[in-house]
Amino acid sequence: MRSPTTHRVAGLLLLMCVAVGMDARAADRLYDDLGGADGVAALVDQFLGNLADDARINHFFAETNLERFRSKLIEHLCALAGGPCTYSGDSMHQVHAGLGIGEAAFNAVVEDLIEAMERRDIGTGTQNRLLALLAPMHGDIVERR
Amino acid sequence: MRQMAGRLLGAVLLLLAGAASAEMPRLPHNSRILATGGATMIEGAAGGGIVPWAVLAGYGSSDEVGASGFYTHVDLKDYSLDAFGVAASWHNRVEVSLARQAFDLGTLGRALGLDDHELRQNILGVKLRLSGDLIYGRWPQVAAGMQYKHNLDFGIPDAVGARHDDDVELYISAAKLWLAGLFERNVFGNLTLRWSRANQGGLLGFGGDRGDGRELLVEGAAGIFLTRHIALGGEYRQQPDKLSFSPQSDWFDAFVAVFPNKHLSLVAAYADLGTVATLPGQRGWYLSLQLAF
Ligand code: HEM
């Protein structure tokens, strides 16, 4: 009894450990997989359309300068994905502090991004790699009470 | 029972086909990301199939409520189990669940010529998220829980040496999802430590002739999302061994879970419960349907 049990448990643990070590190479070629400059711009346009249509969170953007938002977002995603851009906007903490963004709003924006990626036919693996780069910003954006 | 399970499966497949093709309207109070409420395990807590996970039922985020309901059928070589129940969560902080299990003694019941061929129990569960988030942040989501179980049919458990017809179990769980963790796919793991003296999850009572003390038992789950709608995984659950009339084996399962949308999910699994009440080789199919909000 002990031996098959130990083996199966070891298998589960191994899977978990491998998973932890694997996200280091996430940025390789992500920019290309997103379709380069055109792909990122098209993704951001689809994403902004989704945000505008999303009654759960569009009030956050009522006073936003959309032109600046669009160009900074493109820059930000391009740089994040390893593309030839430098982000020139403000830090994620500076931009979002004081807006009162909670867990629900953050998740709504993530869903709008996922839907934009689906709409652009971006594959599951590429979607996951981009989300993995964005998820660590959660702490700078969501306000704790 | 088999016939009923067959009809249920048919109905579920129809529902799934319909739901997968239709865009679901967005409901308020459903802000958490798809699948982060997990499925419902056989004791009514949000989890996998046999292990309670650190996630909370439904899709309510930090200012919202969530709820779920489930029905599960497990068809083993000589037995079958039906379980159903409801759960609710508040602010992604507290989960309360109620479940009923009915274990059909099948072969053994007939062999013993029992009138009473069912073992039923009610389970009240409470789970508290202590810290962390499944997806965000460096640390796992950690939750502590308790399950109060009460046998409705104590005749057989009593006869085979069980000491109590009700009991409280405590557990602590940690769960984490790694985005693009393996082969660019999202990977998750859950580790649960349970303090229990339940025989076959409590269906054969609590404590026994071989001891009445609770033990610290290890339970675990790991899996991978092929897409955001489909996950594959496996679970392990250690068991105490307190009745001399029959050894009790640790439990395993391998599952595929489908989440067409936030309101419907289906889990199909192959479960291996080893020796159950003297009969070895108790393997079989597990099918679970969950509605969530
Ligand atoms: C990982 C998630 C997010 C990323 C990467 C992100 C990125 C950005 C970027 C690059 C800008 C432009 C910065 C600048 O103008 O210098 C921005 C602005 C903004 N973001 Fe986010 N954001 C995220 C989540 C959110 C969420 C969840 C909300 C609210 C629901 C939100 C609301 C806003 C608003 C309202 C502005 C404009 C602020 C202004 O008008 O000055 N963001 N964001």
Side-chain angles (χ1 to χ4, degrees), chain A residues 26-132:
Chain A
D28 296 359
R29 287 184 42 248
L30 178 56
Y31 182 68
D32 297 333
D33 291 345
L34 287 170
D38 292 346
V40 170
L43 173 61
V44 165
D45 286 335
Q46 179 69 51
F47 177 44
L48 292 181
N50 291 355
L51 290 179
D53 289 343
D54 189 344
R56 299 175 298 179
I57 44 95
N58 54 16
H59 59 94
F60 281 101
F61 300 93
E63 282 163 28
T64 297
N65 174 345
L66 286 180
E67 221 160 290
R68 177 187 160 99
F69 183 39
R70 178 179 183 275
S71 69
K72 296 299 171 212
L73 201 57
I74 290 174
E75 245 177 49
H76 192 251
L77 293 186
C78 167
L80 200 64
C85 316
T86 314
Y87 177 58
S88 64
D90 299 321
S91 81
M92 287 298 99
H93 180 70
Q94 280 170 347
V95 177
H96 300 98
L99 292 178
I101 299 169
E103 295 289 348
F106 189 89
N107 285 329
V109 168
V110 171
E111 279 181 0
D112 289 336
L113 177 62
I114 292 173
E115 265 167 47
M117 291 192 287
E118 291 274 319
R119 198 62 81 81
R120 298 284 315 150
D121 283 327
I122 293 173
T124 301
T126 305
Q127 289 190 26
N128 292 342
R129 282 151 70 207
L130 181 58
L131 292 173

Side-chain angles (χ1 to χ4, degrees), chain A residues 1 4-5 8-9 12 15-16 18-20 22-23 25 33 53-56 102-108 110-112 114-115 118 124-129 131-132 135 138 145, chain B residues 26 30-34 61-64 133 135-137 178-190 220-223 225-228 234-236 249-250 252 262 272:
Chain A
M1 193 62 239
T5 301
R8 281 187 259 192
V9 172
L12 288 182
L15 183 63
M16 288 161 76
V18 171
V20 183
M22 287 278 295
D23 58 358
R25 14 139 271 176
D33 291 345
D53 289 343
D54 189 344
R56 299 175 298 179
E103 295 289 348
F106 189 89
N107 285 329
V110 171
E111 279 181 0
D112 289 336
I114 292 173
E115 265 167 47
E118 291 274 319
T124 301
T126 305
Q127 289 190 26
N128 292 342
R129 282 151 70 207
L131 292 173
H138 172 269
R145 272 152 306 147
Chain B
R26 268 193 200 126
N30 274 277
S31 293
R32 262 158 52 209
I33 303 292
L34 184 66
S61 186
S62 54
D63 297 321
E64 303 174 337
D133 186 279
I135 301 178
Y136 308 121
W178 291 277
L179 291 162
L182 191 63
F183 309 124
E184 304 186 349
R185 291 299 178 275
N186 301 337
V187 170
F188 62 93
N190 180 91
F225 279 90
L226 300 183
T227 73
R228 65 204 176 97
E235 291 183 298
Y236 163 75
S249 312
D250 296 346
F252 294 91
K262 288 186 185 175
D272 182 353

Side-chain angles (χ1 to χ4, degrees), chain B residues 228-280:
Chain B
R228 65 204 176 97
H229 298 289
I230 301 175
L232 301 180
E235 291 183 298
Y236 163 75
R237 175 165 164 177
Q238 192 182 15
Q239 296 287 346
D241 201 7
K242 305 227 176 265
L243 297 174
S244 54
F245 95 104
S246 166
Q248 181 169 199
S249 312
D250 296 346
W251 295 355
F252 294 91
D253 71 50
F255 64 82
V256 50
V258 186
F259 298 85
N261 58 58
K262 288 186 185 175
H263 308 303
L264 181 69
S265 61
L266 183 72
V267 179
Y270 191 67
D272 182 353
L273 308 191
T275 299
V276 176
T278 71
L279 301 181

